Amino acid sequence: MSDAKLHRHTPRRLTVLLPVLALLALAACGLVLLAISTARVGLAAELVGVGAALLPVGPVVAAFLWVDRWEPEPARLLWTAFAWGACGATITALLINNTAEAVGDLVLGEGQGDKLSAIVSAPIFEEAAKGVFLLGIYLFLRSEFDGVVDGIVYAGFTAAGFAFTENIYYFGRAFSDYGIGDSSSPGVVAAFILRGVFSPFTHPLFTVMIGIGIGLAARTASTKVRVLAPLGGYLVAVALHAAWNASATLGSASTFFAVYFIVMVPLFGAVVWLISWHRKREQGVIAAALPAMVESGWILPAEVEPLADLDARRHWRRRVRKRRGRAAAAAVEEYQASVSELAFLWHAMAVGTAGPQGPAHETKLIAVLRESRRAAAAASREATT
């Protein structure tokens, strides 16, 4: 996408060295987690856990990619978010939770540490470990964080990675203890139904609260809201996580399902409604900016309608891909994304949330738009001949 073009003059120690070091650190965390989990449940159970954990993660990731359609976030950031959740956040939380469990056993008595870890330590530190990635994007890559939808998408990918690694262990442990499962034992089938069918969105739902809070901070000029919204989102995430774990750890089956159907399901529906509302809002922001782009000569009048509708955008890319291949369709997609980026930046500048770097970023985005427009025009013209 245009991200590479906007940062082509960034020092190579930032564009090459730091990402490589970060990936190496995440890979090291992943190897440590794999070793710990395998030592606890065994290699065969670990492989069963990996296979079972792969099934729910696909629909979850696909759902957040569907949300992220008006202005797709850079793929490298989305997969880094997933990797951080799966490796960095998981190992951070594991170390802290194990410590909390040991302290709980010493202070409260043998067997009580697990409850302390699940109800107190895990919600506080797991959500903090996941949320720190979102905060980093917001603080250091501000141009890639436009609002609530971006917060939801980054939160969803981070939490999906975390849940993926956690599911490997839980599914593996269920297989190690009970096998696949039959009429007399729960086994991995029951664990999969509970975690992979009933609640694949629970971890993303918790962390989405943080994403919403940081997204609200990105869309306001109020210093108070910029501080309180992310903090409030984090506290809500912790409270939901603690209630979920408490219902599973302390309550009966009826308590668990009461929390599931009375709290989690309605909240999930509310988040879906919020996403739908913000997607329509994004469409309105883009539609309002298109006439000015036409007037400036950056887009053609005939492109206003297809650029203002997601289905029309998809049909445009599909037609070009059918005639000219994936590279031509990618050129059209980059053009569409650059239009969205400029529209969102204009809106941010109008409401005073773009910051002092707004005008300079606008100049770069206009250059990217013009360049991508030429490539998209050539691809579309060839596709119609």
Side-chain angles (χ1 to χ4, degrees):
M1 261 185 63
S2 58
D3 180 69
K5 298 173 184 175
L6 291 179
H7 298 91
R8 59 177 57 167
H9 298 299
T10 305
R12 288 180 63 81
R13 66 178 180 276
L14 298 180
T15 60
V16 178
L17 181 59
L18 288 182
V20 168
L21 292 177
L23 288 174
L24 288 174
L26 289 175
C29 289
L31 290 174
V32 170
L33 285 169
L34 181 63
I36 293 173
S37 183
T38 303
R40 287 184 175 183
V41 302
L43 180 59
E46 181 77 359
L47 294 175
V48 171
V50 171
L54 284 171
L55 296 177
V57 77
V60 172
V61 168
F64 284 104
L65 286 175
W66 178 84
V67 172
D68 187 37
R69 290 199 296 167
W70 273 117
E71 185 207 4
E73 303 308 314
R76 61 178 178 80
L77 285 182
L78 294 180
W79 292 118
T80 302
F82 186 91
W84 169 255
C87 301
T90 307
I91 199 167
T92 300
L94 177 66
L95 293 173
I96 295 174
N97 290 340
N98 283 351
T99 302
E101 184 176 344
V103 171
D105 283 338
L106 289 174
V107 175
L108 302 176
E110 191 68 27
Q112 299 302 308
D114 184 60
K115 296 177 183 178
L116 177 67
S117 175
I119 300 172
V120 179
S121 172
I124 292 174
F125 294 106
E126 288 180 10
E127 295 309 319
K130 289 181 284 183
V132 72
F133 182 87
L134 281 71
L135 189 61
I137 297 292
Y138 172 67
L139 293 176
F140 301 111
L141 292 174
R142 184 66 183 80
S143 63
E144 302 295 352
F145 207 119
D146 293 314
V148 170
V149 171
D150 286 359
I152 289 173
V153 170
Y154 285 125
F157 267 78
T158 305
F162 190 97
F164 172 68
T165 300
E166 189 176 66
N167 281 342
I168 291 175
Y169 173 69
Y170 279 110
F171 294 154
R173 189 175 70 177
F175 178 79
S176 176
D177 292 344
Y178 304 107
I180 293 296
D182 52 39
S183 59
S184 61
S185 65
V188 73
V189 173
F192 178 81
I193 292 173
L194 179 63
R195 299 182 64 87
V197 177
F198 273 97
S199 56
F201 282 95
T202 48
H203 263 294
L205 182 62
F206 305 149
T207 313
V208 156
M209 300 299 117
I210 304 175
I212 291 173
I214 298 178
L216 291 174
R219 274 284 159 254
T220 182
S222 169
T223 302
K224 182 182 294 186
V225 175
R226 287 180 177 177
V227 174
L228 293 180
L231 178 60
Y234 168 71
L235 293 177
V236 172
V238 170
L240 289 172
H241 198 154
W244 177 257
N245 284 3
S247 69
T249 303
L250 301 179
S252 61
S254 59
T255 303
F256 176 81
F257 284 108
V259 171
Y260 179 80
F261 286 107
I262 296 175
V263 179
M264 299 301 172
V265 172
L267 186 61
F268 179 76
V271 170
V272 171
W273 175 86
L274 180 67
I275 290 171
S276 177
W277 185 86
H278 270 280
R279 278 163 56 89
K280 291 179 180 177
R281 173 189 167 277
E282 287 183 335
Q283 183 177 21
V285 168
I286 293 170
L290 294 177
M293 295 185 192
V294 172
E295 187 175 337
S296 299
W298 300 330
I299 68 174
L300 297 178
E303 294 174 339
V304 169
E305 185 174 347
L307 284 171
D309 182 80
L310 279 175
D311 289 336
R313 286 187 175 201
R314 185 174 62 253
H315 179 72
W316 184 355
R317 295 193 302 269
R318 187 178 298 165
R319 185 182 69 247
V320 171
R321 183 169 57 249
K322 184 177 180 181
R323 299 287 184 88
R324 299 297 303 170
R326 292 183 179 275
V332 172
E333 184 175 16
E334 182 172 343
Y335 170 54
Q336 293 171 345
S338 65
V339 168
S340 297
E341 284 190 72
L342 184 58
F344 291 146
L345 177 63
W346 279 354
H347 179 75
M349 294 172 69
V351 299
T353 60
Q357 72 277 16
H361 190 49
E362 178 190 26
T363 300
K364 293 178 180 179
L365 277 181
I366 291 172
V368 170
L369 175 60
R370 287 173 168 170
E371 183 177 341
S372 63
R373 171 73 185 82
R374 285 193 290 270
S380 299
R381 185 169 53 252
E382 292 170 355
T384 58
T385 57

